[in-house]
């Protein structure tokens, strides 16, 4: 029952961001094309997509670490970088979403506290691996 509740929290908190990330991946060839056409304004959305993909990978690794603590596949220093990039992408998306609608801004901000909570739950792994 605990793992089902855990997955519901992950789906609710990361669902809107995953949909936005999927749209970003779909439109990234257009952004790459316009970057090469000397419009550097599209660099920010493209970097947000790359940081979001790395952050999503970090969230999956943190999810795996939370459910299976003895099955570590990502080194902690790399996981910290992935999670930091994901939080930066989510915070940037929150700032852009705040101009449109405050409910969308809340939905884009939800991954940050959930990531902080999961990182806090796995703090022994990070402390043991990073400090050694």
């Amino acid at each position: 029952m605990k793992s089902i509740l855990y997955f519901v929290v992950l789906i609710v908190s990361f669902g809107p961001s995953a949909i936005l990330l999927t749209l970003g991946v779909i439109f990234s060839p257009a952004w790459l094309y316009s970057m090469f056409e000397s419009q550097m304004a599209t660099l920010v959305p493209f970097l947000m997509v790359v940081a979001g993909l790395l952050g999503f990978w970090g969230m999956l690794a943190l999810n795996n670490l939370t459910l299976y603590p003895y099955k570590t596949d990502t080194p902690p220093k790399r996981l910290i970088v992935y999670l930091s990039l994901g939080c930066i992408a989510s915070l940037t998306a929150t700032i852009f979403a705040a101009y449109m609608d405050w409910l969308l801004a809340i939905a884009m901000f939800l991954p940050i506290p959930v990531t902080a909570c999961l990182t806090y739950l796995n703090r022994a792994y990070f402390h043991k691996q990073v400090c050694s």
Side-chain angles (χ1 to χ4, degrees):
M1 184 66 179
K2 184 178 178 182
S3 64
I4 293 172
L5 182 63
Y6 176 73
F7 282 121
V8 167
V9 167
L10 285 179
I11 289 171
V12 167
S13 63
F14 286 95
S17 295
I19 292 170
L20 187 64
L21 183 62
T22 303
L23 289 174
V25 168
I26 290 170
F27 287 110
S28 62
W31 289 329
L32 278 174
Y33 176 74
S34 63
M35 262 189 342
F36 290 125
E37 293 294 318
S38 74
Q39 294 177 357
M40 294 306 283
T42 59
L43 184 64
V44 173
F46 182 72
L47 290 177
M48 280 179 51
V49 168
V50 171
L53 284 172
L54 290 173
F56 196 71
W57 182 262
M59 184 276 304
L60 291 175
L62 189 62
N63 180 24
N64 190 28
L65 180 67
T66 303
L67 291 177
Y68 309 107
Y70 300 109
K71 201 176 182 185
T72 59
D73 57 349
T74 304
K77 291 180 182 178
R78 191 180 315 160
L79 187 58
I80 289 171
V81 170
Y82 290 166
L83 295 174
S84 299
L85 286 173
C87 287
I88 289 170
S90 184
L91 189 62
T92 308
T94 302
I95 292 169
F96 285 139
Y99 289 111
M100 291 184 269
D101 188 21
W102 65 274
L103 288 174
L104 183 62
I106 291 173
M108 292 297 115
F109 185 75
L110 276 177
I112 296 173
V114 172
T115 302
C117 178
L118 291 178
T119 305
Y120 180 76
L121 289 175
N122 295 305
R123 68 188 178 278
Y125 171 73
F126 290 110
H127 180 71
K128 178 175 54 173
Q129 297 292 330
V130 172
C131 292
S132 64

